[in-house]
Amino acid sequence: MNIQFKKGVLELCVLSLLGHGDRYGYELASSLSETIDISDGTIYPILRRLKGDGFVTTYLRESNEGPPRKYYKLTDNGDKERDSLHGQWKTFVTSVENLVESEAV
Amino acid sequence: MNKQIFMTQLKRHLMPLNLSTRQEILADFEEHFKDGESLGKTAEQVAEELGDPKQLAQQYLTTAEKGEKTSIPENVGRGIFVGLGLLLLDAMIVIPIVASLFAVLISLWAIPLSLFVSALALFISPLLAIFSFALPYYLAIMTAIALLGLTVAMSIGLAYLSKYFIRFIVGFAKMHYNIIVGGIKG
């Protein structure tokens, strides 16, 4: 898959996961790699970029086992970005569907 | 791949980024290892699932902002500092040694050269009328041939020696370059 495309889709996935509540890195990585065939590490550069773009923020929260964990939280901008990406994604999927269907006829 | 290797490789490939950015990124992965291990995975498993550290580093590098890259002035300063240190070391130790080795090499080359000149002189001795009194011409020719043989043998030996010497100098120059540039990049 085109790397740029994959990145955009992964951003949408991360933002959507964070829409359900704050998560820490390992959680996000394992939920993503369960569904999509990517290596766990891929998520960290994406998270860093999302943070740089102001779509997520981070904070530390105590954990039961060991040192505090870094949690990721969706910002208002991130919320908007997710909706926008989701819209683009739906348009894309619909276009592809239309094309495939029309060729079948 | 074990954790140590993973982290070291990641760190190495993140070198174009500045220290604090690098530390933040590495901390994220440290945390990931801890979380994975607390779930009962081995560090090797976690590293395996994380993927190729070089590729990960590249993803960071392609999206890095200007402020996250290593600032050049600070590093050029370090490069100059390292360069000056090397210069001092060179002036005190390396240059005298290399210079004397070079002098020895040149004087060694003088031997085959003088042998060659003598051989030449013997060949044309009838013209010069120097040795013709002392030496029959056929003997002069034989001696000249022997001298030529010696010249060739010595030249071959010295050619090798010179080659190694030049290689040493080039290697030494490269080392200097790497140290200074390494100081700037690192």
Side-chain angles (χ1 to χ4, degrees):
Chain A
M1 210 194 293
N2 177 307
I3 192 87
Q4 222 42 48
F5 180 77
K6 199 167 173 177
K7 262 185 200 159
V9 174
L10 288 175
E11 267 178 38
L12 173 59
C13 295
V14 172
L15 292 174
S16 303
L17 281 173
L18 288 175
H20 305 310
D22 303 354
R23 306 274 180 96
Y24 58 91
Y26 193 90
E27 274 183 312
L28 286 168
S30 42
S31 2
L32 256 190
S33 59
E34 256 171 39
T35 353
I36 307 174
D37 183 28
I38 52 158
S39 49
D40 282 7
T42 318
I43 194 163
Y44 289 101
I46 292 171
L47 283 169
R48 188 172 178 84
R49 190 161 40 137
L50 288 173
K51 190 184 175 185
D53 290 340
F55 298 138
V56 304
T57 53
T58 59
Y59 61 92
L60 291 176
R61 188 195 281 170
E62 295 299 322
S63 69
N64 296 329
E65 62 278 336
R69 285 203 185 99
K70 189 175 180 180
Y71 274 77
Y72 294 85
K73 181 186 172 62
L74 204 61
T75 63
D76 290 344
N77 271 339
D79 205 49
K80 282 185 203 129
E81 176 72 3
R82 184 198 51 192
D83 290 342
S84 147
L85 283 176
H86 195 189
Q88 286 175 41
W89 170 252
K90 279 198 275 203
T91 315
F92 179 76
V93 171
T94 318
S95 320
V96 173
E97 281 295 325
N98 287 341
L99 187 121
V100 173
E101 305 261 314
S102 75
E103 271 202 308
V105 172
Chain B
M1 182 185 300
N2 67 29
K3 181 185 168 188
Q4 187 69 39
I5 296 177
F6 181 93
M7 293 304 278
T8 313
Q9 287 197 8
L10 185 63
K11 194 172 175 178
R12 201 180 59 217
H13 291 294
L14 287 175
M15 274 305 170
L17 299 180
N18 67 30
L19 185 66
S20 64
T21 306
R22 236 160 42 216
Q23 279 171 342
E24 277 174 37
I25 293 169
L26 291 172
D28 285 347
F29 284 92
E30 284 286 350
E31 192 187 299
H32 189 94
F33 271 102
K34 255 181 219 130
D35 283 328
E37 283 172 74
S38 72
L39 288 173
K41 286 183 184 166
T42 64
E44 280 80 13
Q45 258 175 301
V46 179
E48 206 59 49
E49 287 170 357
L50 277 173
D52 179 19
K54 191 183 171 189
Q55 272 182 18
L56 287 174
Q58 243 133 33
Q59 288 188 52
Y60 280 111
L61 297 187
T62 50
T63 58
E65 283 155 32
K66 258 200 180 146
E68 296 175 334
K69 300 238 169 85
T70 318
S71 63
I72 295 298
E74 150 199 333
N75 283 318
V76 166
R78 182 160 53 175
I80 291 170
F81 188 71
V82 171
L84 281 177
L86 277 178
L87 203 67
L88 200 68
L89 186 76
D90 289 350
M92 291 201 312
I93 302 167
V94 182
I95 289 178
I97 291 177
V98 169
S100 19
L101 281 176
F102 188 66
V104 169
L105 200 67
I106 293 289
S107 9
L108 282 175
W109 270 110
I111 301 174
L113 189 70
S114 51
L115 286 177
F116 181 71
V117 170
S118 320
L120 221 57
L122 280 173
F123 270 123
I124 58 166
S125 53
L127 292 177
L128 295 173
I130 299 169
F131 299 105
S132 49
F133 303 107
L135 218 57
Y137 189 54
Y138 74 92
L139 263 182
I141 291 290
M142 300 257 275
T143 317
I145 289 171
L147 287 177
L148 274 181
L150 263 175
T151 306
V152 171
M154 274 205 81
S155 300
I156 291 172
L158 280 173
Y160 274 108
L161 205 64
S162 308
K163 196 174 82 181
Y164 288 127
F165 184 74
I166 289 168
R167 226 182 254 175
F168 172 75
I169 298 288
V170 170
F172 201 76
K174 266 190 193 154
M175 189 191 83
H176 274 57
Y177 176 80
N178 286 342
I179 290 176
I180 293 173
V181 171
I184 291 172
K185 279 193 185 153

